[in-house]
Amino acid sequence: MRDLAVLGLPIADPLIVGSGLLTDQERNIRRLLEKGAGAVVTKTIHPSPPTGLDERILRLPVGMLNSTTYSKRPVGHWLGVLRSFAEDGLPVIASVHADTPAELADLAEDVEATGCRALELGISCLNEEDGLGDDNPDRVYDYTAETRSRTRVPLAVKLAIGEGLHDRVRAAIAGGADAITVSDTIAGAAVAPGTGDLELGGVYGYSGPGIKPLVLAAIWQLRRRGFDLPILASGGVTGGRDVADYLAVGANAVQVYTALHTDMYDTLQRILAESRDILGAADRPPSPADHSQEGAPA
């Protein structure tokens, strides 16, 4: 493939490892990059992650439910790790969130000072006790605009598919986002056969192959309506065909995460090999402009 870039980062491959438990450790991040990932997004860094929650994952026949929230590692730990990544020139994207826009901007400033060159605002976690989500465009704008006012590094805003996505994307753009990631997990549940109660004790984030058709549709509709900012696709990638499909509808890069919970490094290398075989060694994915209609977003 020709040279690629995402959020200003030169990357060797459009396949990126998304944020989650697997990217909560420096050694995992470094090894994923060694195995060929174009970039890695850290577990979401938060200055005051919730405590006392029963945070677990539940494997389903298709995909996974999780009740996890943010990294429990202190901000100071992460700043040291990000500084090390920056010194080594590694393509690492810091996922960040906080309880208020001002706190998020403070955190983003500290992250930028490490030399980290890209951010992903993980503002749509629905696993907190109040089920935040990102369904309010004003909330999306406030977090994005405050962070942009205090930092210069390129940033993506991670949004979940669903009602009002286009309005939330507009809010992110108005706030100064350089890109969006679509999609965060969506609300899901599973019933325990023995008791009839909900597994994990409630409704939590679902990820996996089941959301891929929904994310494909969302990205295709965004491009058809004229949104031309870079899009990082995320949802249900299990093989190279999924990567190619996302690029075909207008994504600039593709995140993989849930599939890596099985044979992490081997699975990553298999998907990389399959996608390269499908896309061709010299072919670059189509430009997002090819999928956009003329004019401003409707």
Side-chain angles (χ1 to χ4, degrees), residues 153-282:
V153 296
L155 62 88
V157 179
K158 191 171 187 178
L159 302 172
I161 53 173
E163 185 176 356
L165 175 62
H166 296 169
D167 289 336
R168 287 178 279 129
V169 172
R170 289 189 189 94
I173 294 170
D178 299 286
I180 57 168
T181 301
V182 183
S183 166
D184 209 328
T185 57
I186 63 174
V191 175
T195 65
D197 296 330
L198 290 187
E199 298 275 17
L200 304 180
V203 174
Y204 289 105
Y206 170 74
S207 61
I211 74 170
K212 180 195 167 188
L214 309 179
V215 179
L216 278 173
I219 295 172
W220 183 86
Q221 288 168 342
L222 286 169
R223 292 305 190 204
R224 188 171 178 84
R225 288 182 177 234
F227 290 92
D228 60 1
L229 81 167
I231 297 175
L232 285 67
S234 177
V237 171
T238 61
R241 181 74 261 165
D242 302 315
V243 177
D245 289 349
Y246 276 128
L247 296 173
V249 297
N252 298 74
V254 181
Q255 295 188 3
V256 59
Y257 179 75
T258 300
L260 302 184
H261 272 265
T262 302
D263 300 325
M264 176 165 51
Y265 304 118
D266 290 344
T267 298
L268 174 66
Q269 290 190 301
R270 174 183 58 77
I271 297 172
L272 284 165
E274 291 174 0
S275 64
R276 289 167 181 167
D277 184 57
I278 293 169
L279 295 170

Side-chain angles (χ1 to χ4, degrees), residues 8 11 18 24 57 72 112 144 150 171 203-204 212 227 268:
I11 59 174
D24 197 31
I57 64 171
K72 301 303 183 287
E112 181 179 15
T144 307
R150 304 264 296 278
V203 174
Y204 289 105
K212 180 195 167 188
F227 290 92
L268 174 66

Side-chain angles (χ1 to χ4, degrees), residues 286-297:
S287 166
D290 296 339
H291 303 272
S292 302
Q293 293 182 338
E294 294 184 0

